[in-house]
Coordinates of all heavy atoms in Angstrom, one line a residue:
M1 N 33.1 15.1 34.6 CA 32.5 16.3 34.0 C 32.1 15.9 32.5 O 31.0 16.1 32.1 CB 33.6 17.4 33.9 CG 33.8 18.1 35.2 SD 32.3 19.1 35.7 CE 32.9 20.7 35.2
A2 N 33.1 15.4 31.8 CA 32.8 15.0 30.4 C 31.7 14.0 30.3 O 30.9 14.0 29.4 CB 34.1 14.6 29.7
N3 N 31.8 13.1 31.3 CA 30.8 12.0 31.3 C 29.4 12.6 31.5 O 28.4 12.1 30.9 CB 31.1 11.1 32.5 CG 31.8 9.8 32.0 OD1 31.7 9.5 30.8 ND2 32.4 9.1 32.9
G4 N 29.3 13.6 32.4 CA 28.0 14.2 32.6 C 27.4 14.8 31.3 O 26.2 14.6 31.0
M5 N 28.3 15.4 30.5 CA 27.8 16.0 29.2 C 27.4 14.9 28.3 O 26.4 15.1 27.6 CB 29.0 16.8 28.6 CG 29.2 18.2 29.2 SD 27.8 19.3 28.9 CE 28.2 19.8 27.2
D6 N 28.1 13.8 28.2 CA 27.8 12.7 27.4 C 26.4 12.1 27.7 O 25.6 11.9 26.9 CB 28.9 11.6 27.4 CG 30.1 12.0 26.5 OD1 30.0 13.0 25.8 OD2 31.1 11.2 26.6
D7 N 26.2 11.9 29.0 CA 25.0 11.4 29.5 C 23.8 12.3 29.1 O 22.8 11.8 28.7 CB 25.0 11.2 31.0 CG 25.8 10.0 31.4 OD1 26.2 9.2 30.5 OD2 26.0 9.8 32.6
R8 N 24.1 13.6 29.3 CA 23.0 14.6 29.0 C 22.7 14.5 27.5 O 21.5 14.5 27.1 CB 23.5 16.0 29.4 CG 22.4 17.0 29.5 CD 23.1 18.3 29.9 NE 22.5 19.4 29.2 CZ 21.3 20.0 29.5 NH1 20.7 19.6 30.6 NH2 20.8 21.0 28.8
R9 N 23.7 14.5 26.7 CA 23.5 14.4 25.2 C 22.8 13.1 24.8 O 21.9 13.1 24.0 CB 24.8 14.5 24.5 CG 24.6 14.7 23.0 CD 26.0 14.6 22.2 NE 26.9 15.7 22.6 CZ 28.2 15.6 22.4 NH1 28.7 14.5 21.9 NH2 28.9 16.6 22.6
K10 N 23.2 12.1 25.5 CA 22.6 10.8 25.2 C 21.1 10.8 25.5 O 20.3 10.2 24.7 CB 23.3 9.7 26.0 CG 23.3 8.3 25.4 CD 24.1 7.3 26.1 CE 23.7 5.9 25.7 NZ 24.1 4.9 26.7
S11 N 20.8 11.3 26.6 CA 19.4 11.3 27.0 C 18.6 12.2 26.1 O 17.4 11.9 25.8 CB 19.2 11.7 28.5 OG 19.4 13.1 28.6
M12 N 19.2 13.3 25.6 CA 18.5 14.2 24.6 C 18.3 13.4 23.3 O 17.2 13.5 22.7 CB 19.3 15.4 24.4 CG 19.1 16.5 25.4 SD 20.3 17.9 25.3 CE 19.7 18.7 23.8
E13 N 19.3 12.6 22.9 CA 19.2 11.9 21.7 C 18.1 10.8 21.8 O 17.3 10.6 21.0 CB 20.5 11.1 21.4 CG 21.5 12.0 20.6 CD 22.8 11.4 20.4 OE1 22.9 10.1 20.7 OE2 23.7 12.1 20.0
E14 N 18.1 10.2 23.0 CA 17.1 9.2 23.2 C 15.7 9.8 23.2 O 14.8 9.2 22.6 CB 17.3 8.5 24.6 CG 18.3 7.3 24.5 CD 18.7 6.8 25.8 OE1 18.1 7.2 26.8 OE2 19.6 6.0 25.8
E15 N 15.6 10.9 23.8 CA 14.3 11.6 23.8 C 13.9 12.0 22.4 O 12.7 11.8 22.0 CB 14.3 12.9 24.6 CG 13.0 13.4 25.0 CD 13.1 14.8 25.6 OE1 13.9 15.0 26.4 OE2 12.3 15.7 25.1
Y16 N 14.9 12.4 21.6 CA 14.6 12.8 20.2 C 14.1 11.6 19.4 O 13.1 11.7 18.7 CB 15.9 13.3 19.5 CG 15.8 13.6 18.0 CD1 15.1 14.7 17.6 CD2 16.3 12.7 17.1 CE1 15.0 15.0 16.2 CE2 16.2 12.9 15.8 CZ 15.5 14.1 15.3 OH 15.4 14.3 14.0
F17 N 14.8 10.5 19.5 CA 14.4 9.3 18.8 C 13.1 8.7 19.3 O 12.2 8.2 18.5 CB 15.5 8.2 18.8 CG 16.6 8.5 17.9 CD1 17.9 8.8 18.4 CD2 16.4 8.6 16.5 CE1 18.9 9.1 17.5 CE2 17.4 8.9 15.7 CZ 18.7 9.2 16.2
H18 N 12.9 8.8 20.6 CA 11.6 8.4 21.2 C 10.5 9.2 20.6 O 9.4 8.6 20.2 CB 11.6 8.6 22.7 CG 10.4 8.2 23.4 ND1 10.0 6.8 23.5 CD2 9.4 8.9 23.9 CE1 8.8 6.8 24.1 NE2 8.4 8.0 24.4
R19 N 10.7 10.5 20.4 CA 9.6 11.4 19.9 C 9.4 11.0 18.4 O 8.3 11.0 17.9 CB 10.0 12.8 20.1 CG 8.8 13.8 20.0 CD 9.1 15.1 20.6 NE 10.2 15.7 19.8 CZ 11.3 16.3 20.3 NH1 11.4 16.4 21.6 NH2 12.2 16.8 19.6
K20 N 10.5 10.8 17.7 CA 10.4 10.4 16.3 C 9.6 9.1 16.1 O 8.8 9.0 15.2 CB 11.8 10.3 15.6 CG 12.4 11.6 15.3 CD 11.9 12.1 14.0 CE 12.1 13.6 13.9 NZ 11.3 14.3 12.9
N21 N 9.9 8.2 17.0 CA 9.2 6.9 16.9 C 7.7 7.1 17.2 O 6.9 6.5 16.5 CB 9.8 5.9 18.0 CG 11.0 5.2 17.5 OD1 11.2 5.1 16.3 ND2 11.8 4.7 18.4
Q22 N 7.4 7.9 18.2 CA 6.0 8.2 18.5 C 5.3 8.8 17.3 O 4.2 8.4 16.9 CB 5.9 9.2 19.7 CG 6.3 8.6 21.0 CD 5.3 7.5 21.4 OE1 5.6 6.3 21.5 NE2 4.0 7.9 21.7
E23 N 6.0 9.7 16.6 CA 5.4 10.4 15.4 C 5.2 9.3 14.3 O 4.1 9.3 13.7 CB 6.3 11.5 14.9 CG 6.3 12.7 15.7 CD 7.3 13.8 15.3 OE1 7.9 13.6 14.2 OE2 7.6 14.7 16.0
A24 N 6.2 8.4 14.1 CA 6.0 7.4 13.1 C 4.9 6.5 13.4 O 4.1 6.1 12.5 CB 7.3 6.6 13.0
I25 N 4.7 6.1 14.7 CA 3.6 5.2 15.1 C 2.3 5.9 14.9 O 1.3 5.3 14.4 CB 3.8 4.8 16.6 CG1 5.0 3.9 16.7 CG2 2.5 4.2 17.1 CD1 5.5 3.6 18.1
E26 N 2.2 7.2 15.2 CA 1.0 8.0 15.0 C 0.6 8.0 13.6 O -0.6 7.8 13.2 CB 1.1 9.4 15.6 CG 1.1 9.5 17.1 CD -0.1 8.9 17.7 OE1 -1.2 9.2 17.2 OE2 0.0 8.2 18.7
K27 N 1.6 8.3 12.7 CA 1.3 8.3 11.3 C 0.8 7.0 10.7 O -0.1 6.9 9.9 CB 2.6 8.7 10.5 CG 2.8 10.2 10.4 CD 4.0 10.6 9.5 CE 4.4 12.0 9.7 NZ 5.7 12.3 9.2
L28 N 1.5 5.9 11.2 CA 1.1 4.6 10.8 C -0.4 4.3 11.2 O -1.2 3.7 10.5 CB 2.0 3.6 11.4 CG 2.0 2.1 10.8 CD1 2.4 2.2 9.3 CD2 2.9 1.2 11.6
R29 N -0.7 4.7 12.5 CA -2.0 4.4 13.0 C -3.1 5.2 12.2 O -4.1 4.6 11.8 CB -2.1 4.9 14.4 CG -1.5 3.9 15.4 CD -2.1 4.1 16.8 NE -1.4 3.2 17.7 CZ -0.8 3.5 18.9 NH1 -0.8 4.8 19.2 NH2 -0.3 2.6 19.6
A30 N -2.7 6.4 11.8 CA -3.6 7.2 11.0 C -3.9 6.6 9.6 O -5.0 6.5 9.1 CB -3.1 8.6 10.8
K31 N -2.8 6.1 9.0 CA -2.9 5.4 7.7 C -3.8 4.1 7.8 O -4.6 3.9 7.0 CB -1.5 5.0 7.2 CG -0.9 5.9 6.3 CD 0.4 5.4 5.7 CE 1.2 6.4 5.0 NZ 2.5 6.0 4.7
M32 N -3.6 3.4 8.9 CA -4.3 2.1 9.1 C -5.8 2.5 9.3 O -6.7 1.7 8.9 CB -3.8 1.4 10.3 CG -2.5 0.7 10.0 SD -1.6 0.1 11.4 CE -2.6 -1.4 11.8
K33 N -6.1 3.6 10.0 CA -7.4 4.0 10.2 C -8.1 4.3 8.9 O -9.3 3.9 8.7 CB -7.4 5.2 11.2 CG -8.8 5.6 11.7 CD -8.7 6.6 12.9 CE -10.0 7.1 13.3 NZ -10.5 8.3 12.6
I34 N -7.4 5.1 8.0 CA -8.0 5.4 6.7 C -8.3 4.1 5.9 O -9.3 4.0 5.3 CB -7.0 6.3 6.0 CG1 -7.0 7.7 6.6 CG2 -7.4 6.4 4.5 CD1 -5.8 8.6 6.1
A35 N -7.3 3.2 6.0 CA -7.5 1.9 5.3 C -8.7 1.1 5.8 O -9.5 0.6 5.0 CB -6.2 1.1 5.4
D36 N -8.8 1.1 7.1 CA -10.0 0.4 7.7 C -11.3 1.0 7.3 O -12.2 0.3 7.0 CB -9.8 0.4 9.3 CG -8.9 -0.6 9.7 OD1 -8.5 -1.5 8.9 OD2 -8.5 -0.6 10.9
E37 N -11.3 2.4 7.4 CA -12.6 3.1 7.0 C -12.9 2.8 5.6 O -14.1 2.6 5.2 CB -12.4 4.6 7.3 CG -12.5 4.9 8.8 CD -12.1 6.4 9.1 OE1 -11.7 7.1 8.1 OE2 -12.2 6.8 10.2
A38 N -11.9 2.8 4.7 CA -12.2 2.6 3.3 C -12.7 1.2 3.1 O -13.6 1.0 2.3 CB -10.9 2.8 2.5
K39 N -12.1 0.3 3.8 CA -12.5 -1.1 3.6 C -14.0 -1.3 4.1 O -14.7 -2.0 3.4 CB -11.6 -2.0 4.5 CG -11.5 -3.4 4.0 CD -10.5 -4.2 4.7 CE -10.4 -5.7 4.2 NZ -9.5 -6.5 5.0
A40 N -14.3 -0.6 5.2 CA -15.7 -0.7 5.7 C -16.7 -0.1 4.7 O -17.8 -0.6 4.6 CB -15.8 0.0 7.1
A41 N -16.2 0.9 4.0 CA -17.1 1.6 3.0 C -17.1 0.9 1.7 O -17.8 1.3 0.8 CB -16.7 3.0 2.9
G42 N -16.3 -0.2 1.6 CA -16.3 -0.9 0.3 C -15.4 -0.3 -0.8 O -15.6 -0.6 -1.9
V43 N -14.6 0.7 -0.4 CA -13.7 1.3 -1.4 C -12.3 1.0 -1.0 O -12.0 0.8 0.1 CB -14.0 2.8 -1.5 CG1 -15.4 3.1 -2.1 CG2 -13.8 3.5 -0.2
S44 N -11.4 1.1 -2.0 CA -10.0 1.0 -1.7 C -9.4 2.3 -1.1 O -9.9 3.4 -1.5 CB -9.2 0.6 -3.0 OG -7.9 0.6 -2.8
S45 N -8.4 2.2 -0.3 CA -7.8 3.4 0.3 C -6.9 4.0 -0.7 O -6.4 5.1 -0.6 CB -7.1 3.1 1.6 OG -6.1 2.1 1.3
M46 N -6.6 3.3 -1.8 CA -5.7 3.8 -2.9 C -6.4 4.7 -3.8 O -7.6 4.6 -4.0 CB -5.2 2.6 -3.7 CG -4.3 1.6 -2.9 SD -2.7 2.2 -2.7 CE -2.1 2.2 -4.4
K47 N -5.7 5.7 -4.3 CA -6.2 6.6 -5.3 C -5.7 6.1 -6.7 O -4.7 5.5 -6.8 CB -5.7 8.0 -5.1 CG -6.3 8.6 -3.8 CD -7.8 9.0 -4.1 CE -8.3 9.7 -2.8 NZ -9.8 9.9 -3.0
C48 N -6.5 6.4 -7.7 CA -6.1 6.0 -9.1 C -4.8 6.6 -9.4 O -4.7 7.8 -9.3 CB -7.2 6.4 -10.0 SG -6.8 6.0 -11.8
P49 N -3.8 5.8 -9.9 CA -2.5 6.4 -10.3 C -2.6 7.3 -11.5 O -1.8 8.1 -11.7 CB -1.7 5.1 -10.6 CG -2.4 4.0 -10.1 CD -3.9 4.3 -10.1
R50 N -3.7 7.1 -12.3 CA -3.8 7.8 -13.5 C -4.5 9.2 -13.3 O -4.1 10.2 -13.7 CB -4.6 7.0 -14.6 CG -4.6 7.7 -15.9 CD -5.6 7.0 -16.8 NE -5.1 5.7 -17.2 CZ -5.9 4.7 -17.6 NH1 -7.2 4.8 -17.6 NH2 -5.4 3.5 -18.0
C51 N -5.7 9.1 -12.6 CA -6.5 10.4 -12.5 C -6.8 10.8 -11.1 O -7.5 11.7 -10.8 CB -7.8 10.2 -13.3 SG -9.0 9.1 -12.4
N52 N -6.2 10.0 -10.1 CA -6.4 10.3 -8.7 C -7.9 10.1 -8.2 O -8.3 10.7 -7.2 CB -5.9 11.7 -8.3 CG -5.4 11.8 -6.9 OD1 -4.9 10.8 -6.4 ND2 -5.6 12.9 -6.3
G53 N -8.7 9.4 -9.0 CA -10.0 9.1 -8.6 C -10.1 8.0 -7.6 O -9.1 7.4 -7.2
N54 N -11.3 7.8 -7.1 CA -11.5 6.7 -6.1 C -11.5 5.3 -6.7 O -12.1 5.2 -7.8 CB -12.8 6.9 -5.3 CG -12.7 8.1 -4.4 OD1 -11.7 8.3 -3.7 ND2 -13.8 8.8 -4.2
L55 N -10.8 4.4 -6.1 CA -10.8 3.0 -6.6 C -11.8 2.2 -5.8 O -12.0 2.3 -4.6 CB -9.4 2.4 -6.4 CG -8.3 3.0 -7.2 CD1 -7.0 2.3 -7.0 CD2 -8.6 3.0 -8.7
K56 N -12.6 1.4 -6.6 CA -13.6 0.6 -6.0 C -13.2 -0.9 -6.3 O -12.8 -1.2 -7.4 CB -14.9 0.9 -6.6 CG -16.1 0.4 -5.7 CD -17.4 1.0 -6.2 CE -18.6 0.5 -5.3 NZ -18.4 0.9 -3.9
E57 N -13.3 -1.7 -5.2 CA -12.9 -3.1 -5.4 C -14.1 -3.8 -6.1 O -15.3 -3.6 -5.7 CB -12.7 -3.8 -4.1 CG -11.3 -3.5 -3.5 CD -10.8 -4.6 -2.6 OE1 -11.5 -5.0 -1.7 OE2 -9.7 -5.2 -2.8
S58 N -13.8 -4.5 -7.1 CA -14.9 -5.3 -7.7 C -14.4 -6.7 -8.0 O -13.2 -7.0 -8.1 CB -15.4 -4.7 -9.0 OG -14.3 -4.2 -9.8
N59 N -15.3 -7.6 -8.1 CA -15.0 -9.0 -8.2 C -15.0 -9.4 -9.7 O -16.1 -9.3 -10.4 CB -16.1 -9.9 -7.5 CG -15.7 -11.3 -7.3 OD1 -15.1 -11.9 -8.3 ND2 -16.0 -11.9 -6.2
F60 N -13.9 -9.8 -10.2 CA -13.8 -10.2 -11.6 C -13.3 -11.6 -11.7 O -12.2 -11.9 -11.3 CB -12.8 -9.3 -12.4 CG -12.7 -9.6 -13.8 CD1 -13.6 -9.3 -14.8 CD2 -11.5 -10.3 -14.3 CE1 -13.5 -9.6 -16.1 CE2 -11.4 -10.6 -15.6 CZ -12.4 -10.3 -16.5
E61 N -14.2 -12.5 -12.1 CA -13.9 -13.9 -12.2 C -13.4 -14.5 -10.9 O -12.5 -15.3 -10.8 CB -12.8 -14.2 -13.3 CG -13.2 -13.6 -14.7 CD -14.1 -14.6 -15.5 OE1 -13.9 -15.8 -15.4 OE2 -15.0 -14.1 -16.1
G62 N -13.9 -14.0 -9.8 CA -13.5 -14.4 -8.5 C -12.2 -13.8 -7.9 O -11.8 -14.1 -6.8
V63 N -11.6 -12.9 -8.7 CA -10.4 -12.1 -8.2 C -10.8 -10.7 -8.0 O -11.5 -10.1 -8.8 CB -9.3 -12.2 -9.3 CG1 -8.1 -11.4 -8.8 CG2 -9.0 -13.6 -9.6
M64 N -10.4 -10.2 -6.8 CA -10.8 -8.8 -6.5 C -9.8 -7.9 -7.2 O -8.6 -7.9 -7.0 CB -10.7 -8.6 -4.9 CG -11.7 -9.4 -4.1 SD -13.4 -9.2 -4.7 CE -13.8 -7.6 -4.0
I65 N -10.4 -7.0 -8.0 CA -9.6 -6.0 -8.7 C -10.0 -4.6 -8.3 O -11.2 -4.4 -7.9 CB -9.6 -6.2 -10.2 CG1 -11.1 -6.2 -10.7 CG2 -9.0 -7.5 -10.6 CD1 -11.2 -6.2 -12.2
D66 N -9.2 -3.6 -8.5 CA -9.5 -2.2 -8.2 C -9.9 -1.5 -9.5 O -9.1 -1.5 -10.4 CB -8.3 -1.5 -7.5 CG -8.0 -2.1 -6.2 OD1 -9.0 -2.3 -5.4 OD2 -6.9 -2.2 -5.8
T67 N -11.1 -1.0 -9.5 CA -11.5 -0.3 -10.7 C -11.7 1.2 -10.3 O -12.3 1.5 -9.3 CB -12.9 -0.9 -11.2 OG1 -12.8 -2.3 -11.2 CG2 -13.2 -0.4 -12.6
C68 N -11.3 2.1 -11.2 CA -11.4 3.5 -10.9 C -12.8 4.0 -11.3 O -13.3 3.7 -12.3 CB -10.4 4.3 -11.8 SG -10.5 6.1 -11.6
E69 N -13.4 4.7 -10.4 CA -14.8 5.2 -10.6 C -14.8 6.3 -11.6 O -15.8 6.6 -12.2 CB -15.4 5.7 -9.2 CG -15.7 4.6 -8.3 CD -16.2 5.1 -7.0 OE1 -15.9 6.3 -6.6 OE2 -17.0 4.4 -6.3
S70 N -13.7 7.0 -11.8 CA -13.6 8.2 -12.7 C -13.2 7.8 -14.1 O -13.9 8.2 -15.1 CB -12.7 9.2 -12.2 OG -13.0 9.6 -10.8
C71 N -12.1 7.1 -14.3 CA -11.6 6.8 -15.6 C -11.8 5.4 -16.0 O -11.4 5.0 -17.1 CB -10.2 7.2 -15.8 SG -9.0 6.1 -14.9
S72 N -12.4 4.6 -15.2 CA -12.7 3.1 -15.4 C -11.4 2.3 -15.6 O -11.4 1.2 -16.2 CB -13.6 3.0 -16.7 OG -14.8 3.6 -16.4
G73 N -10.2 2.9 -15.2 CA -9.0 2.1 -15.2 C -9.1 0.9 -14.3 O -9.8 1.0 -13.3
V74 N -8.4 -0.2 -14.6 CA -8.4 -1.3 -13.8 C -7.0 -1.6 -13.3 O -6.1 -1.6 -14.0 CB -8.9 -2.6 -14.6 CG1 -8.8 -3.8 -13.7 CG2 -10.3 -2.4 -15.1
W75 N -6.9 -1.8 -11.9 CA -5.6 -1.9 -11.3 C -5.6 -3.2 -10.6 O -6.5 -3.6 -9.9 CB -5.3 -0.7 -10.4 CG -5.5 0.6 -11.1 CD1 -6.6 1.4 -11.0 CD2 -4.7 1.2 -12.1 NE1 -6.5 2.4 -11.8 CE2 -5.3 2.4 -12.5 CE3 -3.5 0.8 -12.6 CZ2 -4.8 3.2 -13.4 CZ3 -2.9 1.7 -13.5 CH2 -3.6 2.9 -13.9
L76 N -4.4 -3.9 -10.7 CA -4.3 -5.2 -10.1 C -3.2 -5.1 -9.0 O -2.2 -4.5 -9.2 CB -3.9 -6.3 -11.1 CG -4.9 -6.5 -12.2 CD1 -4.2 -7.3 -13.4 CD2 -6.0 -7.3 -11.7
D77 N -3.5 -5.8 -7.9 CA -2.4 -6.0 -6.8 C -1.5 -7.1 -7.3 O -1.8 -7.9 -8.1 CB -3.1 -6.3 -5.5 CG -3.8 -5.2 -4.9 OD1 -3.5 -4.0 -5.2 OD2 -4.8 -5.4 -4.1
P78 N -0.3 -7.1 -6.7 CA 0.6 -8.2 -7.0 C 0.0 -9.5 -6.7 O -0.7 -9.7 -5.7 CB 1.8 -8.0 -6.0 CG 1.7 -6.6 -5.7 CD 0.3 -6.2 -5.7
G79 N 0.1 -10.4 -7.7 CA -0.5 -11.8 -7.5 C -1.9 -11.9 -8.1 O -2.3 -13.0 -8.5
E80 N -2.6 -10.8 -8.3 CA -3.9 -10.8 -8.8 C -3.9 -11.2 -10.3 O -4.7 -11.9 -10.8 CB -4.7 -9.5 -8.6 CG -5.1 -9.3 -7.2 CD -5.8 -8.0 -6.9 OE1 -5.7 -7.1 -7.7 OE2 -6.5 -7.9 -5.9
F81 N -2.9 -10.6 -11.0 CA -2.7 -10.9 -12.4 C -2.5 -12.4 -12.6 O -3.1 -13.0 -13.5 CB -1.6 -10.1 -13.0 CG -1.5 -10.1 -14.5 CD1 -2.4 -9.3 -15.2 CD2 -0.7 -11.0 -15.2 CE1 -2.3 -9.4 -16.6 CE2 -0.6 -11.0 -16.5 CZ -1.5 -10.2 -17.3
G82 N -1.6 -12.9 -11.8 CA -1.3 -14.4 -11.8 C -2.6 -15.2 -11.6 O -2.8 -16.2 -12.2
Q83 N -3.4 -14.8 -10.6 CA -4.7 -15.5 -10.4 C -5.6 -15.5 -11.6 O -6.2 -16.5 -11.9 CB -5.4 -14.8 -9.2 CG -4.8 -15.1 -7.8 CD -5.6 -14.4 -6.7 OE1 -6.8 -14.6 -6.6 NE2 -4.9 -13.7 -5.9
L84 N -5.6 -14.3 -12.3 CA -6.5 -14.2 -13.5 C -6.0 -15.2 -14.6 O -6.7 -15.8 -15.2 CB -6.5 -12.8 -14.0 CG -7.4 -11.8 -13.1 CD1 -7.2 -10.4 -13.6 CD2 -8.8 -12.2 -13.2
V85 N -4.6 -15.2 -14.7 CA -4.0 -16.0 -15.7 C -4.3 -17.5 -15.4 O -4.7 -18.3 -16.3 CB -2.5 -15.8 -15.7 CG1 -1.8 -16.9 -16.7 CG2 -2.1 -14.4 -16.2
Q86 N -4.2 -17.9 -14.2 CA -4.5 -19.3 -13.8 C -6.0 -19.6 -14.1 O -6.3 -20.7 -14.5 CB -4.2 -19.5 -12.3 CG -2.7 -19.8 -12.1 CD -2.4 -20.2 -10.7 OE1 -3.2 -20.0 -9.8 NE2 -1.3 -20.8 -10.5
K87 N -6.9 -18.7 -13.7 CA -8.3 -19.0 -13.9 C -8.6 -19.2 -15.4 O -9.5 -20.0 -15.7 CB -9.1 -17.8 -13.3 CG -9.3 -18.0 -11.8 CD -10.1 -16.9 -11.2 CE -10.1 -17.0 -9.7 NZ -10.6 -18.2 -9.2
E88 N -8.0 -18.4 -16.2 CA -8.3 -18.4 -17.7 C -7.7 -19.7 -18.3 O -8.2 -20.1 -19.4 CB -7.7 -17.2 -18.4 CG -8.7 -16.0 -18.4 CD -8.5 -15.2 -19.7 OE1 -7.3 -15.0 -20.0 OE2 -9.4 -14.8 -20.3
G89 N -6.7 -20.2 -17.8 CA -6.0 -21.4 -18.4 C -5.0 -20.9 -19.5 O -4.9 -19.7 -19.7
K90 N -4.4 -21.9 -20.0 CA -3.2 -21.6 -20.9 C -3.6 -20.9 -22.2 O -2.8 -20.2 -22.8 CB -2.5 -22.9 -21.3 CG -1.6 -23.4 -20.2 CD -0.4 -24.2 -20.7 CE 0.4 -24.8 -19.7 NZ 0.9 -23.9 -18.6
S91 N -4.8 -21.2 -22.7 CA -5.2 -20.6 -24.0 C -5.9 -19.2 -23.8 O -6.2 -18.6 -24.8 CB -6.2 -21.5 -24.7 OG -7.3 -21.7 -23.9
G92 N -6.0 -18.8 -22.6 CA -6.7 -17.5 -22.3 C -5.9 -16.3 -22.8 O -4.7 -16.4 -23.0
W93 N -6.6 -15.2 -22.9 CA -5.9 -13.9 -23.3 C -4.8 -13.5 -22.4 O -3.7 -13.2 -22.8 CB -7.0 -12.8 -23.4 CG -6.4 -11.6 -24.0 CD1 -6.3 -11.2 -25.3 CD2 -5.8 -10.5 -23.3 NE1 -5.8 -10.0 -25.5 CE2 -5.4 -9.5 -24.2 CE3 -5.6 -10.2 -21.9 CZ2 -4.8 -8.3 -23.9 CZ3 -5.0 -9.0 -21.6 CH2 -4.6 -8.1 -22.5
F94 N -5.1 -13.5 -21.1 CA -4.1 -13.1 -20.1 C -2.9 -13.9 -20.2 O -1.8 -13.4 -20.1 CB -4.7 -13.2 -18.7 CG -5.6 -12.1 -18.3 CD1 -6.9 -12.3 -17.9 CD2 -5.1 -10.8 -18.3 CE1 -7.7 -11.2 -17.6 CE2 -5.9 -9.7 -18.0 CZ -7.2 -9.9 -17.6
S95 N -3.1 -15.2 -20.3 CA -1.9 -16.1 -20.4 C -1.1 -15.8 -21.6 O 0.2 -15.8 -21.5 CB -2.4 -17.6 -20.4 OG -1.3 -18.5 -20.3
R96 N -1.7 -15.6 -22.7 CA -1.0 -15.4 -24.0 C -0.2 -14.0 -23.8 O 0.9 -13.9 -24.2 CB -1.9 -15.3 -25.2 CG -2.2 -16.7 -25.7 CD -3.0 -16.7 -26.9 NE -4.4 -16.5 -26.6 CZ -5.2 -15.7 -27.3 NH1 -4.7 -15.0 -28.3 NH2 -6.5 -15.6 -26.9
F97 N -0.9 -13.1 -23.2 CA -0.3 -11.7 -23.0 C 0.9 -11.9 -22.1 O 2.0 -11.3 -22.4 CB -1.3 -10.8 -22.3 CG -0.7 -9.4 -22.0 CD1 -0.6 -8.5 -23.0 CD2 -0.4 -9.1 -20.7 CE1 0.0 -7.2 -22.7 CE2 0.2 -7.9 -20.4 CZ 0.3 -6.9 -21.4
W98 N 0.8 -12.6 -21.0 CA 1.8 -12.9 -20.0 C 3.0 -13.5 -20.7 O 4.2 -13.1 -20.5 CB 1.3 -13.7 -18.9 CG 2.2 -13.8 -17.7 CD1 2.8 -14.9 -17.2 CD2 2.5 -12.7 -16.8 NE1 3.5 -14.5 -16.1 CE2 3.4 -13.2 -15.8 CE3 2.2 -11.3 -16.7 CZ2 3.9 -12.4 -14.8 CZ3 2.7 -10.5 -15.7 CH2 3.5 -11.1 -14.8
N99 N 2.8 -14.6 -21.4 CA 3.9 -15.3 -22.1 C 4.6 -14.5 -23.2 O 5.8 -14.8 -23.4 CB 3.4 -16.7 -22.6 CG 3.0 -17.6 -21.5 OD1 3.6 -17.6 -20.5 ND2 2.0 -18.4 -21.7
A100 N 3.9 -13.6 -23.7 CA 4.5 -12.7 -24.8 C 5.5 -11.8 -24.2 O 6.3 -11.2 -24.9 CB 3.4 -12.0 -25.5
Q101 N 5.5 -11.6 -22.9 CA 6.4 -10.7 -22.2 C 7.8 -11.3 -22.1 O 8.8 -10.6 -22.0 CB 6.0 -10.4 -20.8 CG 4.6 -9.8 -20.7 CD 4.5 -8.5 -21.3 OE1 5.2 -7.5 -20.9 NE2 3.6 -8.3 -22.3
D102 N 7.9 -12.7 -22.2 CA 9.3 -13.3 -22.1 C 10.2 -13.1 -23.3 O 9.7 -13.0 -24.4 CB 9.1 -14.8 -21.8 CG 8.4 -15.1 -20.5 OD1 8.5 -14.2 -19.6 OD2 7.7 -16.1 -20.4
Ligands
LIG1 ZN1 -8.7 6.9 -12.8

C-alpha cells in the first residue's frame, strides 16, 4: 500500500521535473533563436548595459567590439580587451591602462 503511494508520488515528481526540463529547453531554444537572428542581422543580441540601446558589432583594429547605437558606449567581451592590449604593444594606451590596475 505504502509502496503504491511512493511510486505514485515518484512518478508525479518525475513528470514535474520532466516538464520543468522541457520548459528550460524551450527557453534556451528561444534565446538561441534570438541570438542567431541578431547575428544574421549583424547586431548583437545584447542590449547596452547603460541605456538599453542596440549594440552593433564593429571591427576595431581587428578585434570585434560591441558599440551602442544610442549612446556610443563601447563594450568588450572577455578576452577582447586583452587582444587590444596585445595588438597595441607594451607602449600602447591600453597596455599602460591595464598595468596601472595592478
Ligand atoms: Zn547605450
